[in-house]
Amino acid sequence: MTVTIPVPAPLPPVTRPEGDPGMADSLAERLYTTASRFEEFGDTAASAKDGAGVWFGQAFEAYRGAASRASGEHASMAATVKRVAHGVTAYADTLRDLLRSYEQLRDRRTALHGQRDDLISDIESTLDPTPQILAALRSRATHLAARMDDWVTDRDAWLSQVQAAEDLVRRTFESATDLGDALSDLGGVSDTARDAMGKPGAPGPDSSPEQVADWWDGLTDAEREAVTAAYPSVIGSANGLPAGARDDANRVLLDGDLARLGAKEEDGTIDPAERKVLENARETEKALSSAEEYEDPLGDGKPGAQLWLYDPTAFDGDGRVAVAVGDLDTARDVAVFTPGITTDMSKVGGYTGQMYNLYESTRYNGDGSSVATMFWLGYDAPDGPIDPATATEGRAEDGGRRLADAVDGLRASRGDDPAHLTAIGHSYGSTTTSYATGEFDLAADDVVLVGSPGAGPADDAGDFSVGRDHVFVGRDSRDIVAVLGDEGWMGKGGIGLGRDPSSDDFGAVRFEAERVDREDIRNWDAAHSNYLSVDTESLYNIGLIVDGHGDEVNRAEHSYDPWWDLPRDPEIDREPTSGVPGRSQTRGME
């Protein structure tokens, strides 16, 4: 008996895209170096005006005028070459993604052809099939045809992306092929990028995060690639865009700073402000590289890292930066951690390491949901204890507004797929977080304040936008910073930044946050800086909160203020609980 089963035809071949990402990176680096040379010449030409007093007369005036023109022209040339270099850097990153997709398509094709061969073999070996065997063979053929059709669809979409990437890098070069282009404000910017940025909802002062999200959703893949390459500083900081898009743009900026300023350093022409930017870039690169190698503690591979914010020149060189461990676009549980005084971009590596601890605690102690933990330095933290800003709430108020805007951006980027989001503030960052939720309607689900010198504008946890039951406080009884806030109706303390959020009058949920090896006296070192350290009560409880299980934290008694004596902390005499061996405590500890 002849068996007739419609077997799908073989799949068309898939060809590796031309190009080498490493060579593209090398080209970009040479372009960044060229941009630095133009900058150096422009700076030298600009200094010609300082020749007054040494050289006088018409000749000097003519020279100064020519030097001023040359300075401006070389600055424009530098900007154009840098934009082209950004485009090449973006192309290198895109090409890496396309090559990974090529390998996946190739492997899928091989697997599908193997299944096709097996099907043909089974059909040919079936001499007297029953109706059940025929039905099974036809079902296999139907499902195989569907999978092969899916492969063709994916291959066609991939081919379009390959062509779009090549067209974009070509147009980027074509936009700077003559002197007029090179000296223009848009030299190195493709028409595709300009047109996309002109559409309604594009990032700008008049666009809300929701409008920016809708704008991005309405762009083609080619337009997204174009604006990322041409306007990385805009895309990298636009609230409402997916974290993956911001990460792509900020890595373009980071690579550019490393190459361009590295070339200036080699030439000996780098100035102090540029050197600070280069140091910030290198610290960020190290933090990202480390985070990308971090392994999930439950064996789910590497969660990856995202550079959600990168602005190394902000706040007179202190910088703005946010690095996430995990995927902010898909994680079910997201934490945003805001640090306190003395924090600048030089600390990004250490705080990213603390995000590993928080990630692990959430994964170990939670219900297995996906997690992303982000260190957010998006405000100008005071420089230290003697900085006058430390004793006032101005920076906290400004930071609170910025934090609320950042969280609005995260929310808008997720659309109808919201994460459970926890905002954590430490030290002065807790006051900043208090402003965000007390004054600017922070769109978080839970708020955690640790080592807090005061809750800023709020006198009661019920004043927070998240509601009283979702405000959590951790205070090590030896933490001298955490006793600075006002206590009781008499307001004892009073040298902090508002009400002590661990006090009974404030009404938040206080959780246990003592350390096994705590000191006998209050201090601002270990007691104040280890709330996210491994094997601590605070890390265990914060992990539960981030996972959405704040109702399961080990509660601590509130501090209180008897009118006849100094404020008291019941935790000061409690024996701390030791966690299990390893990097974090596990759920269920009593």
Side-chain angles (χ1 to χ4, degrees), residues 34 36 51 111 180 227 229 388 399 485 505-506 513 529 582:
T34 301
S36 74
V227 295
D505 292 318
F506 192 74
S529 59

Short mmCIF file of all heavy atoms in Angstrom, two decimals, residues 34 36 51 111 180 227 229 388 399 485 505-506 513 529 582:
data_model
loop_
_atom_site.label_atom_id
_atom_site.label_comp_id
_atom_site.label_asym_id
_atom_site.label_seq_id
_atom_site.Cartn_x
_atom_site.Cartn_y
_atom_site.Cartn_z
N THR A 34 39.69 60.19 16.18
CA THR A 34 39.69 61.34 15.27
C THR A 34 38.90 62.50 15.86
O THR A 34 39.33 63.67 15.79
CB THR A 34 39.10 60.93 13.91
OG1 THR A 34 39.88 59.87 13.36
CG2 THR A 34 39.09 62.10 12.94
N SER A 36 38.48 63.15 18.94
CA SER A 36 39.29 63.75 20.02
C SER A 36 40.37 64.66 19.46
O SER A 36 40.69 65.69 20.05
CB SER A 36 39.92 62.64 20.88
OG SER A 36 40.99 62.00 20.21
N GLY A 51 46.21 85.18 23.80
CA GLY A 51 47.48 85.78 23.39
C GLY A 51 47.52 87.29 23.57
O GLY A 51 48.56 87.92 23.41
N ALA A 111 17.73 21.34 12.67
CA ALA A 111 16.84 20.49 13.45
C ALA A 111 15.57 20.16 12.66
O ALA A 111 15.09 19.00 12.66
CB ALA A 111 16.49 21.16 14.76
N GLY A 180 30.13 70.71 4.11
CA GLY A 180 28.90 71.31 4.60
C GLY A 180 28.19 70.41 5.59
O GLY A 180 27.71 70.87 6.63
N VAL A 227 17.43 56.07 15.67
CA VAL A 227 17.43 57.08 16.74
C VAL A 227 18.40 56.69 17.85
O VAL A 227 19.00 57.55 18.50
CB VAL A 227 16.01 57.30 17.30
CG1 VAL A 227 15.10 57.91 16.25
CG2 VAL A 227 15.41 56.02 17.87
N ALA A 229 21.26 55.19 17.38
CA ALA A 229 22.59 55.54 16.89
C ALA A 229 22.80 57.05 16.85
O ALA A 229 23.89 57.54 17.18
CB ALA A 229 22.80 54.95 15.50
N PRO A 388 27.07 71.01 53.78
CA PRO A 388 25.84 71.63 54.32
C PRO A 388 24.57 71.00 53.79
O PRO A 388 23.54 70.98 54.47
CB PRO A 388 25.98 73.09 53.88
CG PRO A 388 27.45 73.32 53.73
CD PRO A 388 27.99 72.02 53.22
N GLY A 399 15.78 65.04 44.58
CA GLY A 399 15.96 63.63 44.26
C GLY A 399 14.66 62.86 44.29
O GLY A 399 14.45 61.94 43.49
N GLY A 485 16.57 61.15 63.74
CA GLY A 485 15.24 61.71 63.47
C GLY A 485 14.47 62.05 64.74
O GLY A 485 14.83 61.63 65.85
N ASP A 505 5.24 56.30 66.70
CA ASP A 505 4.37 57.38 66.25
C ASP A 505 4.25 57.41 64.72
O ASP A 505 3.22 57.86 64.19
CB ASP A 505 4.89 58.73 66.72
CG ASP A 505 4.78 58.89 68.23
OD1 ASP A 505 3.74 58.50 68.79
OD2 ASP A 505 5.73 59.40 68.85
N PHE A 506 5.29 56.96 64.04
CA PHE A 506 5.25 56.99 62.57
C PHE A 506 4.34 55.90 62.01
O PHE A 506 3.63 56.11 61.03
CB PHE A 506 6.66 56.85 62.01
CG PHE A 506 6.77 57.16 60.54
CD1 PHE A 506 6.71 58.47 60.09
CD2 PHE A 506 6.91 56.14 59.61
CE1 PHE A 506 6.80 58.76 58.73
CE2 PHE A 506 6.99 56.41 58.25
CZ PHE A 506 6.94 57.73 57.82
N ALA A 513 16.58 44.01 61.91
CA ALA A 513 17.70 44.41 61.06
C ALA A 513 19.02 44.45 61.84
O ALA A 513 19.90 45.25 61.55
CB ALA A 513 17.42 45.78 60.44
N SER A 529 26.17 50.72 57.28
CA SER A 529 26.44 50.42 55.87
C SER A 529 26.21 48.97 55.48
O SER A 529 26.57 48.58 54.37
CB SER A 529 27.88 50.80 55.53
OG SER A 529 28.79 50.08 56.34
N GLY A 582 26.13 30.53 53.76
CA GLY A 582 25.97 30.86 52.34
C GLY A 582 25.86 32.34 52.14
O GLY A 582 26.09 33.14 53.04
#
